[in-house]
């Protein structure tokens, strides 16, 4: 049964702070399983932090989840170079989405 307050929410934020992708990916799998068990059908937004920012951006694309990228998540571009601003991160994200 869905959580009684789920109808008051716009989305579920899955914010992964683990810096090892495999550990974080397991956390995502468990969170998605819990949401399914609770019958929570809200949109899901997945993002990582620092070292896992780009791997989880790609994972969100693969899983067809919403994603976000910004300086609050990390300052490096996929190349490893430092982004000069949020716009540079967004351009890099758009390049990955094709």
């Amino acid at each position: 049964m869905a959580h009684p307050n789920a109808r008051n929410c716009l989305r579920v934020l899955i914010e992964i702070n683990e810096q090892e992708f495999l550990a974080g990916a397991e956390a995502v799998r468990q969170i998605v399983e819990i949401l399914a068990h609770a019958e929570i059908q809200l949109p899901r937004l997945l993002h990582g932090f620092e070292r896992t920012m780009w791997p989880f951006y790609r994972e969100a694309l693969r899983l067809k989840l919403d994603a976000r990228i910004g300086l609050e998540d990390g300052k490096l571009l996929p190349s490893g170079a430092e982004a000069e601003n949020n716009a540079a991160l967004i351009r890099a994200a758009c390049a990955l989405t094709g």
Side-chain angles (χ1 to χ4, degrees), residues 55-96:
F56 277 113
Y57 183 79
R58 290 181 185 97
E59 185 71 355
L61 295 176
R62 185 184 76 77
L63 296 173
K64 298 185 181 353
L65 301 176
D66 294 337
R68 78 168 201 207
I69 287 291
L71 289 172
E72 68 274 14
D73 304 318
K75 60 183 177 179
L76 298 181
L77 296 165
S79 67
E82 189 170 320
E84 64 181 68
N85 54 33
N86 260 339
L89 292 171
I90 299 302
R91 283 191 298 275
C94 288
L96 289 176

Side-chain angles (χ1 to χ4, degrees), residues 15-86:
E15 186 173 53
I16 302 299
N17 291 320
E18 283 87 349
Q19 293 300 288
E20 295 298 323
F21 178 74
L22 292 178
E26 176 59 18
V28 170
R29 186 195 65 74
Q30 291 176 14
I31 291 166
V32 168
E33 186 177 295
I34 289 167
L35 292 171
H37 181 73
E39 299 178 5
I40 295 174
Q41 301 299 317
L42 293 165
R44 298 159 188 186
L45 187 149
L46 170 62
H47 76 93
F49 179 71
E50 298 291 345
R51 287 181 28 200
T52 61
M53 178 174 79
W54 291 107
F56 277 113
Y57 183 79
R58 290 181 185 97
E59 185 71 355
L61 295 176
R62 185 184 76 77
L63 296 173
K64 298 185 181 353
L65 301 176
D66 294 337
R68 78 168 201 207
I69 287 291
L71 289 172
E72 68 274 14
D73 304 318
K75 60 183 177 179
L76 298 181
L77 296 165
S79 67
E82 189 170 320
E84 64 181 68
N85 54 33
N86 260 339

